[in-house]
Amino acid sequence: DAGITQSPRHKVTETGTPVTLRCHQTENHRYMYWYRQDPGHGLRLIHYSYGVKDTDKGEVSDGYSVSRSKTEDFLLTLESATSSQTSVYFCATSSGGAPDTQYFGPGTRLTVL
Amino acid sequence: LAKTTQPISMDSYEGQEVNITCSHNNIATNDYITWYQQFPSQGPRFIIQGYKTKVTNEVASLFIPADRKSSTLSLPRVSLSDTAVYYCLVDRGGGTASKLTFGTGTRLQVTL
């Protein structure tokens, strides 16, 4: 498996607090992605990055921001967590080749009380 | 990117061959077909990818007819450990993964 780690793996927080999730890769992949997965919705793209400091919105970006200051790290921030952001968050990377393959991290289970 | 349609769920007994068909009527010339597998509490993982005809690896086979409007993932002699969600995706690489829609996949339940 590609070297993708996520931290923390589990987090419980309260409504209104800021939360930052970290994704770290050792594959030197150009592209990085943040998804959330909820029952009945499958995987939905929140934000993605196509290079250092280059990011763009995905399908469900409201309430989230991202940053990528180094190739290996992609941070997802919930500015002010809400209960609707309780979910499992997955980071993924890909090289951007053709064909391409995404490699996923182990996930972070976030609970907002 | 072409949207895909696959069954919501399938059931199988251990030892049987399972075939999951995915339709992608609007697939483009440069598109590839990729299948991912997701176990509970884990991220999806790549299992197989193809462009046309047949591809086989140690995990599965992928059959793609000449018109490429559908594809079939074949899992030989499934075991309980093959219980998972399987996603069919069509993309052309080059950074277009951000346009992918994973959907809810096909939930395969294998029992004794």
Side-chain angles (χ1 to χ4, degrees), chain B residues 35-39 42-47 59 75 81-87:
Chain B
W35 286 80
Y36 291 85
Q37 174 190 55
Q38 185 178 25
F39 297 116
Q42 294 185 26
R45 68 168 187 148
F46 168 88
I47 51 173
V59 176
L75 304 172
S81 63
D82 292 312
T83 293
V85 178
Y86 294 82
Y87 298 94

Side-chain angles (χ1 to χ4, degrees), chain B residues 2-109:
Chain B
K3 290 195 174 180
T4 60
T5 302
Q6 52 185 121
I8 294 173
S9 64
M10 295 183 69
D11 295 311
S12 178
Y13 292 108
E14 197 172 42
Q16 291 187 326
E17 178 184 73
V18 171
N19 296 308
I20 306 174
T21 297
C22 177
S23 71
H24 26 78
N25 291 321
N26 296 322
I27 191 168
T29 303
N30 296 336
D31 290 342
Y32 290 80
I33 300 150
T34 307
W35 286 80
Y36 291 85
Q37 174 190 55
Q38 185 178 25
F39 297 116
S41 301
Q42 294 185 26
R45 68 168 187 148
F46 168 88
I47 51 173
I48 200 165
Q49 184 176 66
Y51 183 79
K52 61 181 179 180
T53 62
K54 176 183 175 182
V55 179
T56 298
N57 62 23
E58 66 279 4
V59 176
S61 294
L62 178 60
F63 297 92
I64 305 169
D67 67 5
R68 305 202 322 126
K69 293 183 183 299
S70 67
S71 59
T72 299
L73 175 72
S74 181
L75 304 172
R77 296 180 298 282
V78 294
S79 65
L80 297 176
S81 63
D82 292 312
T83 293
V85 178
Y86 294 82
Y87 298 94
C88 166
L89 291 143
V90 169
D91 92 284
R92 61 195 63 147
T96 58
S98 60
K99 306 293 188 291
L100 295 176
T101 301
F102 270 81
T104 53
T106 297
R107 185 173 300 275
L108 172 65
Q109 180 68 52

